[in-house]
Amino acid sequence: MDPNATLPPGTRRQPRYDLYTATHRALRLFMTETLARVGRLDVNDRHELTTALNEVDALLRLARLHLAHENQYVHAAIEACQPGATQAIGEEHVEQIETMDGLHAEAQALANLPTTPAALRLYQHLVRFVAESFDHMLAEETELNPLLWSHYRDEQLLEIEQRIADATTPTDRALLLRWLVPAITPIERAWRFAQLQRQLKTADFDAALVTAQSVLDARAWNKLKWALGLNAVA
């Protein structure tokens, strides 16, 4: 049944605050671009090899951090209201950590002995990891989000997100922002930067804008500047 069906004609409920989807969009973009980089890797080009493996390392670090934060903050909130609801997803988290340990070891081996078969092996295992991660994240968005919405108000969900942000180092926040900015819609981007503008010191907010400009095309960058009132052409 449409949850808006009982509202007066012409009105719609505002969407609930979503703890999952924006971060998952960032991770999906990071995963697919890293996968493509490894897939076209020239193992005889040391600079290209180093760049690709550094990106794999950063992806695995951010993915591990994301799982840890989900376990500590999001799953804990769900379990407090509905014990056992996150068990299956939590077991998948354990499997994902094991997979990432294997990918890290393969990346290290490729760095030490760069061969085409080793690069192909890393690529194929990364393909499987990305495919399984996509299914996993979609399950969280469609199965766990409704549980959060049924037990928590949007203000409480924002508090959970703030606790996650407070537990993230500036380096990892910058890494997430670099992939989040191009992965979300212009409206979401404007809202998040408006939040940052209120929360951050001027120098830190300016640094976030520099990141945004570096990863957005001209049209998307102008939309963001216009939304923030930064003298851009609409």
Side-chain angles (χ1 to χ4, degrees):
M1 177 179 178
D2 183 351
N4 295 310
T6 59
L7 295 177
T11 62
R12 305 291 288 180
R13 284 197 182 100
Q14 291 296 316
R16 292 298 310 276
Y17 187 70
D18 190 333
L19 272 177
Y20 280 110
T21 302
T23 301
H24 283 178
R25 286 178 183 169
L27 285 169
R28 288 182 183 111
L29 181 60
F30 198 175
M31 287 176 178
T32 52
E33 293 209 6
T34 302
L35 181 63
R37 184 183 291 276
V38 174
R40 62 176 178 262
L41 179 61
D42 178 1
V43 295
N44 298 310
D45 184 329
R46 194 70 206 184
H47 173 76
E48 188 174 321
L49 178 68
T50 300
T51 300
L53 294 182
N54 284 345
E55 191 162 301
V56 170
D57 182 68
L59 170 62
L60 296 178
R61 186 177 80 247
L62 191 62
R64 287 176 186 275
L65 182 65
H66 176 65
L67 294 185
H69 285 164
E70 284 188 338
N71 290 338
Q72 184 174 355
Y73 299 100
V74 184
H75 287 192
I78 295 172
E79 289 292 324
C81 301
Q82 194 162 328
T86 67
Q87 181 177 346
I89 293 292
E91 290 171 354
E92 290 182 9
H93 281 189
V94 174
E95 294 171 358
Q96 286 181 316
I97 291 294
E98 293 173 353
T99 297
M100 286 189 280
D101 287 343
L103 288 170
H104 178 74
E106 287 187 5
Q108 289 293 106
L110 180 59
N112 294 330
L113 184 61
T115 66
T116 298
L120 178 59
R121 191 159 51 247
L122 174 62
Y123 173 71
Q124 290 172 335
H125 291 164
L126 194 58
V127 168
R128 188 181 301 278
F129 170 67
V130 170
E132 291 174 351
S133 295
F134 273 34
D135 282 342
H136 174 86
M137 289 188 283
L138 183 60
E140 289 176 330
E141 292 167 19
T142 57
E143 297 170 17
L144 297 188
N145 248 341
L147 298 180
L148 287 168
W149 293 333
S150 66
H151 294 293
Y152 294 94
R153 301 186 309 275
D154 284 355
E155 310 88 83
Q156 294 172 303
L157 298 179
L158 281 164
E159 289 173 2
I160 293 172
E161 184 167 84
Q162 187 59 53
R163 289 199 292 274
I164 292 172
D166 292 342
T168 306
T169 66
T171 298
D172 287 327
R173 282 201 299 269
L175 178 62
L176 177 59
L177 185 69
R178 180 261 175 271
W179 293 100
L180 184 71
V181 169
I184 57 180
T185 69
I187 291 175
E188 291 170 319
R189 194 179 299 130
W191 179 83
R192 286 182 178 271
F193 270 82
Q195 292 287 99
L196 291 176
Q197 195 170 26
R198 288 190 289 270
Q199 296 168 355
L200 298 181
K201 297 177 181 178
T202 300
D204 293 335
F205 179 67
D206 288 345
L209 285 178
V210 169
T211 296
Q213 186 175 15
S214 70
V215 297
L216 294 174
D217 61 31
R219 188 174 185 84
W221 171 237
N222 272 339
K223 287 180 183 179
L224 178 60
K225 289 201 296 181
W226 176 79
L228 295 174
L230 299 179
N231 301 319
V233 176

